[in-house]
Amino acid sequence: MPYEQLDLSTPKPVLSWANHTLGQDETKMAKNVASLPFVFKHVALMPDVHLGKGALVGSVVATKAAIVPAAVGVDIGCGMAAIKTPFMADQLEGKLQQIRQDIEALIPVGFHENEAADTQVLHWQGWQDFKHLHTGVQHLEAKATKQMGSLGGGNHFIEVCVDEQDQVWLMLHSGSRHIGNVLAQRHIETAKELAKLAGEKLPDPDLAHFVQGTPEFEAYWRDLQWAQNYARVNREVMMARSKRVLAKHLANGQPFTPCLSVNCHHNYAEREVHFGEEVYVTRKGAVRAQQDDYGIIPGSMGAKSYIVKGKGKADSYCSCSHGAGRLMSRNKAKLNFTLEDLIQQTQGVECRKDEGVLDEIPGAYKPIDQVMANQSDLVEVVATLKQLVCVKG
């Protein structure tokens, strides 16, 4: 689907791949961002766009010489990892429940953390730089160490899936855990204080920003990169543990080599070159989709997910959606659906079926097929996955 330019009177245009009219609050949020003086060229909205904080989830914002920490968000580096295994679906027969239980035994979920860090965690080079992070997180090193290799809650998950050829995949979704959240909050607070001192009149306090070349900018950028790396390694640790579970059940405990591995952020910022200029690209709920980039676009529990390759569409800042996108808030989902609805909508999936995950019911999300149709110019589908096991916090 080609994008449409929204009919908004803003200094910079807003291009949308959503193929639907934004609500009043969403429109206001898009206008606020597109009115910032340092926004470059235009704002791009992905097909799964919905309300966020400061900036819309599912938005790509390129900026010149400035960055908005709240636009990146508090789960810095949140993203996806997936591997294609050499195993086939028939090898899973009769083993799904035990596989789920073994993954849950190895990987803490929700607010839980590891009792002790394993070798893979302790050998991460990033720990050497912890002392240089914001002073407000220095007391959290032990917690950050124990949380690496843990899933968290909300919409984070670990799944065993099969593709159209019945080949087995592992896929998971998680970010930078508590340490990333606190780092983000500390810097957001600083940005707001600076805006207040400068008497800036922002359309939204959450759009307070840092200017390139200032100590505050450099401190945020350093901590941002550290948290993004933490999130990536966190996914690697969980994937390694999930691989061990599959190897135990499908390969007599023998290690295996994945046929394909993907690990991508969808809440982050990087320096990139677009339209011939170096800019800061903030993807808030969006995946980089440069030419031949592999990406992951998950559906909800019980819906299809996609492994994709980017087409390098310039107008999207070489980006695509990060999932189906929420159709309704968590509270609204709990009011609109019952436990029976959850059981029915997750038929055939070995997963939790209790009221604790009712807000993650498939019906609370946009139809993934429509989301994919709306971005056919942004990505090509490499594999279509259907989950058989889903572990949630």
Side-chain angles (χ1 to χ4, degrees):
M1 176 200 116
Y3 63 80
E4 61 174 330
Q5 182 173 325
L6 299 185
D7 185 18
L8 302 175
S9 55
T10 51
K12 295 289 167 41
V14 178
L15 311 184
S16 175
W17 277 259
N19 198 24
H20 69 265
T21 303
L22 297 182
Q24 184 177 350
D25 291 339
E26 292 170 320
T27 300
K28 183 180 180 183
M29 194 165 279
K31 289 176 72 172
N32 288 345
V33 173
S35 299
L36 295 171
F38 47 83
V39 166
F40 174 70
K41 200 165 175 65
H42 60 262
V43 174
L45 305 183
M46 299 296 98
D48 58 340
V49 68
H50 58 279
L51 275 177
K53 192 168 184 180
L56 291 164
V57 177
S59 63
V60 186
V61 185
T63 54
K64 293 283 287 185
I67 194 164
V68 181
V72 178
V74 294
D75 195 355
I76 298 172
C78 185
M80 300 285 304
I83 63 167
K84 182 180 183 179
T85 79
F87 309 121
M88 302 303 293
D90 58 0
Q91 295 175 260
L92 294 168
E93 192 171 341
K95 301 173 182 176
L96 296 181
Q97 185 179 49
Q98 192 58 56
I99 287 172
R100 176 190 158 203
Q101 290 173 352
D102 285 355
I103 291 174
E104 289 173 341
L106 272 181
I107 299 174
V109 301
F111 293 106
H112 298 290
E113 57 191 35
N114 297 286
E115 290 184 10
D118 62 22
T119 303
Q120 186 179 4
V121 171
L122 293 174
H123 283 180
W124 181 48
Q125 294 297 307
W127 300 124
Q128 298 174 13
D129 298 321
F130 197 95
K131 60 183 177 292
H132 300 304
L133 300 180
H134 194 289
T135 55
V137 302
Q138 289 305 310
H139 63 295
L140 293 175
E141 185 171 5
K143 185 176 184 66
T145 305
K146 287 185 177 182
Q147 281 200 329
M148 181 174 275
S150 66
L151 185 65
N155 61 356
H156 292 170
F157 61 78
I158 303 167
E159 291 181 345
V160 179
C161 310
V162 292
D163 62 20
E164 311 97 311
Q165 283 73 45
D166 278 343
Q167 199 147 355
V168 177
W169 290 67
L170 277 170
M171 183 167 70
L172 59 87
H173 173 207
S174 191
S176 54
R177 307 296 286 111
H178 184 67
I179 186 64
N181 184 304
V182 178
L183 274 173
Q185 289 186 45
R186 296 292 179 266
H187 287 289
I188 291 169
E189 289 164 6
T190 300
K192 287 180 176 180
E193 288 168 7
L194 289 176
K196 190 175 180 180
L197 287 171
E200 281 190 85
K201 293 185 178 179
L202 294 166
D204 181 339
D206 283 312
L207 294 179
H209 58 275
F210 295 128
V211 176
Q212 184 179 357
T214 62
E216 293 84 4
F217 181 101
E218 299 306 323
Y220 175 64
W221 191 255
R222 175 201 63 215
D223 291 2
L224 179 72
Q225 299 306 309
W226 186 91
Q228 288 173 183
N229 289 332
Y230 178 100
R232 185 182 298 278
V233 176
N234 183 43
R235 293 191 289 271
E236 290 173 356
V237 172
M238 287 188 286
M239 186 61 76
R241 293 178 186 173
S242 300
K243 282 175 64 181
R244 290 204 299 271
V245 172
L246 272 200
K248 170 188 169 184
H249 289 281
L250 307 183
N252 296 316
Q254 294 301 308
F256 64 89
T257 301
C259 309
L260 176 69
S261 298
V262 187
N263 193 338
C264 56
H265 298 317
H266 56 223
N267 272 11
Y268 72 114
E270 288 290 357
R271 289 189 188 94
E272 297 178 3
V273 175
H274 292 275
F275 300 99
E277 296 189 47
E278 185 174 82
V279 292
Y280 293 96
V281 178
T282 296
R283 293 187 176 91
K284 186 183 181 78
V287 178
R288 196 183 74 176
Q290 293 178 359
Q291 188 71 43
D292 294 332
D293 266 351
Y294 279 102
I296 306 167
I297 304 176
S300 57
M301 285 196 301
K304 289 179 286 189
S305 296
Y306 295 87
I307 307 297
V308 298
K309 250 189 188 180
K311 293 185 176 181
K313 180 78 169 179
D315 289 322
S316 72
Y317 297 113
C318 299
S319 307
C320 66
S321 84
H322 81 312
R326 291 197 75 91
L327 196 58
M328 59 181 70
S329 70
R330 295 185 181 280
N331 286 336
K332 192 173 180 182
K334 291 175 182 177
L335 292 172
N336 278 266
F337 293 106
T338 65
L339 186 55
E340 289 71 28
D341 294 327
L342 176 67
I343 292 168
Q344 192 221 344
Q345 292 184 28
T346 57
Q347 279 184 355
V349 182
E350 172 60 40
C351 64
R352 284 178 59 188
K353 300 179 192 282
D354 58 66
E355 292 185 351
V357 293
L358 190 56
D359 54 350
E360 282 294 301
I361 189 170
Y365 286 84
K366 296 176 183 177
I368 189 66
D369 289 336
Q370 185 61 56
V371 169
M372 294 304 298
N374 290 353
Q375 56 188 328
S376 58
D377 60 332
L378 305 183
V379 294
E380 63 173 297
V381 175
V382 173
T384 303
L385 309 184
K386 174 71 175 72
Q387 61 269 68
L388 299 179
V389 174
C390 180
V391 172
K392 294 194 77 72

